[in-house]
Amino acid sequence: MTTASALPLHMQRNRFDPPSRLAELREQPGLEGVRTPLGLAAHLVTRYADAREVLGDATRFSSAGMPALPGAAQDQRVGNLLALDPPDHTRLRRLLTGEFTVKRIRRLQPRIEQIVTDHLDAMERTGPPNDLVEHFALPIPSLVICELLGVPYADRAEFHRRAAIQVDLTRPLDERGAVAMESREYMGTLVDRATADPGDDMLGMLVREHGEELTRAELAGVASLLLIAGHETTANMLALGTLALLEHPEQAAIVRDDPESTAPAVEELMRFLSVVHSGVPRRVTQDTEVAGTPLAAGDFVVVSLPSADRDRALVEDPERLDVGRAASPHVAFGHGVHHCLGAPLARMEMATAFPALLRRFPTLAVAGEPEFRSATVVYGLRHLPVTW
């Protein structure tokens, strides 16, 4: 268990910013030692070029081999793309990629726009003050991923609870492991339902088109990952991104008033905030080196995504939020074979939600102290009180 006051260096934040120590490490040769939340000794990668090297080489740096959480069965990694290497990863990802192409995701745009509008209407009816996390940032991506996967939205409160526990590093490991198994069992029931009567959602599509290629456990694993990843990351980007824009009103005005700015603004917010601390630690498979530091087979490497995205090798003046700058090839969505499968969906949700929120409530302002959440796999906000 990791306490909020004893976070590893790569998980520490000062509101929007990584700690200054990471900037110092980027300027020094070699790699720093760090411990993961599970207590594993690892080498910390802080520079952009080194991050792309590690994330882009699944042969030398394996995503498999991490110990399972206590209380969770070993088969919890079955179907979990984050914990697989090629060729297993390649096979599963190939079956899913078609559903996450930009062309396919565009079909969801009218529905996403409606979901955003519905939640803005509800906020307007309720009136200020309002918690943007509870009434906007969290429910929008939750409803989108529920509809995409065919998860009953009536079950959202329970899967929110399970997801929150799984990513909360202050929780005991055995509790997180047990809840991971609960989540897997729940998704198994949805797989059985889709197998008996495949619908038009993604689970139904996978059963109809690839039922002979995927086991029940693989389907449950894929669905579990997509359900958690599909709402945790986007929800925290919507909340934290809104706060960043409100604290930079000239940037908010650009997003609100210039439709052409939306796409690069989303990329800049992703780079500036990088809500995923590091992703899965990579296990070194052969003696090698990174940044001049020798690494032995069996060592672990952790990539600090926020640090890499604040590297001057990526953009000029990286500590400044600038939604007007050209979109950068950041690593907030990862890089290489594990680049976020749902990135097109997340981009569309953010590109729809940010300007719609700012146009509906042009006087939107923070109405209290935001509550940050840092001792979690995904950085973000628990509460963001707003008024207008």
Side-chain angles (χ1 to χ4, degrees), residues 247-283:
E247 294 193 1
H248 297 79
E250 75 290 349
Q251 307 282 301
I254 293 171
V255 174
R256 183 189 66 224
D257 300 333
D258 179 11
E260 296 298 317
S261 76
T262 303
V266 166
E267 299 308 311
E268 173 67 355
L269 286 165
M270 286 294 303
R271 178 202 70 80
F272 185 72
L273 300 172
S274 298
V275 294
V276 177
H277 298 293
S278 64
V280 175
R282 274 17 182 215
R283 180 175 51 82

Side-chain angles (χ1 to χ4, degrees), residues 189-202:
T189 65
L190 297 186
V191 168
D192 292 340
R193 188 182 310 170
T195 301
D197 183 20
D200 294 329
D201 51 76
M202 185 179 294

Side-chain angles (χ1 to χ4, degrees), residues 322-357:
D322 180 5
V323 299
R325 75 167 97 226
S328 65
H330 59 74
V331 291
F333 282 123
H335 175 65
V337 298
H338 288 283
H339 182 271
C340 178
L341 182 67
L345 177 60
R347 286 182 167 114
M348 176 169 287
E349 291 179 79
M350 287 185 278
T352 303
F354 283 131
L357 173 67

Side-chain angles (χ1 to χ4, degrees), residues 98-117:
E99 288 300 300
F100 286 98
T101 62
V102 173
K103 182 178 180 181
R104 290 283 187 95
I105 294 301
R106 280 190 184 134
R107 297 184 309 181
L108 299 174
Q109 185 159 6
R111 180 57 183 144
I112 292 173
E113 290 173 352
Q114 186 60 56
I115 290 171
V116 170
T117 298

